[in-house]
Amino acid sequence: MSYVSPRDFVGKMIDAGEAKALMSTRDTLIRAFMAGAILALAAAFAVTITVQTGNALLGAVLFPVGFCLLYLLGFDLLTGVFTLVPLALLDKRRGVTVRSMMRNWGLVFVGNFAGAIVVALMMAVVFTFGFSVDPNEVGQRLGEIGHSRTVGYAEHGAAGMLTLFIRGVLCNWMVSTGVVAAMMSTSVSGKVIAMWMPIMLFFYMGFEHSIVNMFLFPSGLMLGGDFSIADYLLWNEIPTVVGNLVGGLAFVGVTLFATHARTGDTRFIAEPSGERADERALATNGSAR
């Protein structure tokens, strides 16, 4: 697997954050668009498997194929840049500012959303034969997901909003762990294995991923889901984005940076002297005999 030590892969995280913050607008949008599109296809794939087999675990086991592909192709998700770019700012890399970080986040959001919407439209055409017939079973399921994970939260009021936010936090804790885990290995197989586990966990547990939701909910609206655009934005996308930001930074990015890039001073333990030193020497000599 060619394991990379934490100190070394945290250095790679900071380098990656710097590169993303300073990337051209053109490249940022292209990479974000493709990432959103590939992840949307993976979500459609996982929902199709779940509906056709009746086994949600199987869908979750196979969903990470999309994440692994987009990572290996060098594309960018909002959840990943939430974690990596701030580290370059904390490390005071030249040219990385709050403005450049916000610019990167904004461009990646737009690119991810555009890619996910394009795939949502394509899949809606597939599920309805160009909107000429009612959605098939998979299309109907997408509409149900949109309703249960927007209106379903709204029915619980503040408690629903808190639950949505926490699910967003837990999601990017796992997704960003997958991003970082890929840096723990220098081999393709090692990267894929390390990424697969946390991504499978987040999907099966039903945590809220802002980019996956950019496909699921617009797709559900196109296929007759019983919820509105306002429901989607207020009771899913916006709180999920905030939760993803907090989860990626608090539990992955800043945590690893603090303990591996800015390691605390090693505790110094003074050697005992006087009578205690004599006692230790005596004990050592006695045990030697």
Side-chain angles (χ1 to χ4, degrees):
M1 184 174 176
S2 304
Y3 176 68
V4 178
S5 70
R7 185 176 183 84
D8 290 335
F9 71 66
V10 170
K12 290 185 176 182
M13 291 170 64
I14 300 169
D15 291 342
E18 178 185 16
K20 294 177 191 303
L22 302 179
M23 192 183 300
S24 70
T25 298
R26 169 187 173 276
D27 289 339
T28 302
L29 285 173
I30 291 172
R31 296 182 189 192
F33 178 92
M34 291 307 301
I38 291 173
L39 200 68
L41 280 170
F45 174 55
V47 172
T48 300
I49 291 170
T50 300
V51 169
Q52 292 183 349
T53 66
N55 188 337
L57 178 58
L58 184 58
V61 167
L62 296 176
F63 168 75
V65 64
F67 183 87
C68 293
L69 283 173
L70 71 89
Y71 180 90
L72 293 173
L73 288 167
F75 298 146
D76 289 329
L77 290 173
L78 184 64
T79 44
V81 297
F82 272 166
T83 301
L84 298 177
V85 176
L87 302 189
L89 184 64
L90 290 173
D91 202 52
K92 299 179 180 178
R93 293 294 178 93
R94 184 178 180 182
V96 180
T97 63
V98 172
R99 181 176 179 178
S100 65
M101 179 179 72
M102 298 303 293
R103 168 187 167 276
N104 173 262
W105 288 356
L107 290 173
V108 173
F109 180 93
V110 170
N112 285 169
F113 193 81
I117 286 289
V118 168
V119 172
L121 178 59
M122 287 179 171
M123 295 310 301
V125 169
V126 169
F127 294 145
T128 62
F129 280 85
F131 300 102
S132 64
V133 299
D134 290 336
N136 63 12
E137 190 177 3
V138 177
Q140 293 172 19
R141 177 59 182 150
L142 287 171
E144 293 169 4
I145 291 172
H147 180 271
S148 64
R149 287 166 65 173
T150 53
V151 178
Y153 286 123
E155 290 174 349
H156 295 280
M161 185 63 75
L162 175 62
T163 301
L164 172 57
F165 171 75
I166 294 298
R167 283 185 170 179
V169 170
L170 291 169
C171 172
N172 208 26
W173 184 353
M174 290 297 97
V175 172
S176 291
T177 297
V179 171
V180 172
M183 299 181 184
M184 297 177 185
S185 174
T186 57
S187 69
V188 172
S189 59
K191 290 178 181 292
V192 169
I193 292 169
M195 284 188 281
W196 207 281
M197 295 179 285
I199 303 305
M200 176 179 65
L201 188 158
F202 110 73
F203 195 84
Y204 185 71
M205 293 295 291
F207 297 154
E208 299 286 353
H209 190 281
S210 54
I211 317 308
V212 171
N213 292 352
M214 288 175 184
F215 162 75
L216 290 177
F217 297 94
S219 181
L221 285 168
M222 295 177 196
L223 296 168
D226 187 18
F227 61 102
S228 67
I229 294 175
D231 290 330
Y232 160 58
L233 293 175
L234 179 61
W235 286 100
N236 194 283
E237 190 63 39
I238 294 173
T240 297
V241 167
V242 176
N244 287 170
L245 172 60
V246 172
L249 269 179
F251 293 102
V252 183
V254 171
T255 306
L256 288 169
F257 181 86
T259 193
H260 291 303
R262 293 291 180 270
T263 307
D265 294 334
T266 303
R267 294 180 61 200
F268 176 75
I269 302 176
E271 284 295 324
S273 59
E275 186 176 330
R276 288 189 177 180
D278 294 338
E279 290 175 358
R280 174 175 287 190
L282 182 61
T284 302
N285 291 335
S287 62
R289 297 191 190 97

